[in-house]
């Protein structure tokens, strides 16, 4: 069974750094892209970026380029989303998701990680 | 960027009735269009891909149609568990996917 299990909720202060994770299991982690999607409180879904763990090919939405870093550690089947300096506007639910292949929608989703940034 | 526009923002329908949700793309996305359902406190769930193909395990009451710039999700006979928010997503410009802003389907 394909599973994406994300790290737990985080409460941070503005200016702090953060790295959240998404562990894949039940499939060959290096053979499938993993994307990240933001959902701000009460709002819709925004695609942030995607990584291919096999060769670390990473693409970003222009809206998020330079704001976050996506990475993966294939030795532990885990993808990451990180911030170097959080802002209050980063408060959101973040989902990782996996498409069946490239040029495909997201079949599998993590449970989400709630990030709250508040002074 | 391809902009996806969903209408209406909120749709009120009685159980057992038909619901029709619309999604429009700012430019052609061919049939590279997906629909997702999201319930409160849950991750989105893929319903439809390729504009009209149901994902695994999705009931037949869900159907999708359209191509190019105009798409429709129809739920033929609403069940209580269908009341949720629905999003369309284009993946024609993969990986630069874009989502619509969502339609909230509520009980009338």
């Amino acid at each position: 069974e394909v599973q994406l299990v994300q790290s737990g909720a985080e409460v941070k202060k503005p200016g702090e750094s953060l790295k959240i994770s998404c562990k894949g299991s039940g499939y060959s982690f290096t053979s499938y892209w993993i994307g990240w999607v933001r959902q701000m409180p009460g709002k819709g879904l925004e695609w942030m970026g995607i990584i291919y763990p096999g060769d670390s090919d990473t693409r970003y939405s222009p809206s998020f380029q330079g704001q976050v870093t996506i990475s993966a550690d294939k030795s532990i089947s885990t993808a990451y989303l990180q911030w170097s300096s959080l802002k209050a506007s980063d408060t959101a639910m973040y989902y990782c998701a996996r498409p069946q292949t490239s040029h495909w929608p997201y079949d599998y989703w993590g449970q989400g990680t709630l990030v709250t940034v508040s002074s | 960027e391809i902009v996806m526009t969903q209408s209406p923002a909120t749709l009120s329908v009685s159980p057992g009735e038909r619901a029709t949700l619309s999604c429009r793309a700012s430019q052609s996305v061919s049939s590279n269009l997906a629909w997702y359902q999201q319930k409160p406190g849950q991750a989105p769930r893929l319903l439809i891909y390729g504009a009209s193909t149901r994902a695994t395990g999705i009931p037949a009451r869900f159907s999708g149609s359209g191509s190019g710039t105009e798409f429709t999700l129809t739920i033929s006979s609403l069940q209580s568990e269908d009341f949720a928010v629905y999003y369309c997503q284009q993946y024609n410009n993969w990986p630069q996917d874009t989502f619509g802003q969502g339609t909230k389907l509520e009980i009338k």
Side-chain angles (χ1 to χ4, degrees), chain A:
Chain A
E1 179 194 7
V2 173
Q3 283 194 310
L4 298 173
V5 178
Q6 297 186 231
S7 49
E10 301 275 0
V11 179
K12 292 288 190 179
K13 289 181 167 41
E16 292 186 331
S17 62
L18 176 64
K19 192 173 189 177
I20 63 175
S21 66
C22 170
K23 183 173 177 60
S25 63
Y27 71 99
S28 174
F29 183 74
T30 54
S31 301
Y32 293 84
W33 293 83
I34 289 187
W36 288 93
V37 175
R38 183 175 79 173
Q39 187 167 39
M40 298 178 77
K43 302 298 184 183
L45 305 171
E46 301 173 89
W47 180 77
M48 303 177 70
I50 196 167
I51 187 167
Y52 189 76
D55 61 6
S56 295
D57 184 3
T58 308
R59 320 282 179 88
Y60 294 93
S61 162
S63 300
F64 292 93
Q65 178 84 49
Q67 308 304 307
V68 297
T69 301
I70 293 170
S71 61
D73 184 341
K74 54 189 178 183
S75 70
I76 54 172
S77 301
T78 300
Y80 300 98
L81 177 66
Q82 69 179 89
W83 296 258
S84 59
S85 181
L86 286 160
K87 302 184 282 289
S89 57
D90 293 318
T91 294
M93 181 72 80
Y94 293 88
Y95 293 101
C96 63
R98 198 208 82 172
Q100 191 172 91
T101 182
S102 63
H103 297 82
W104 205 259
Y106 293 103
D107 302 84
Y108 297 96
W109 292 71
Q111 81 278 18
T113 295
L114 180 61
V115 174
T116 303
V117 184
S118 175
S119 55

Side-chain angles (χ1 to χ4, degrees), chain B residues 29-50:
Chain B
V29 298
S30 186
S31 294
N32 296 311
L33 189 285
W35 290 94
Y36 296 87
Q37 176 193 68
Q38 188 179 33
K39 297 179 180 180
Q42 296 185 16
R45 177 174 71 145
L46 179 65
L47 298 176
I48 300 283
Y49 63 91

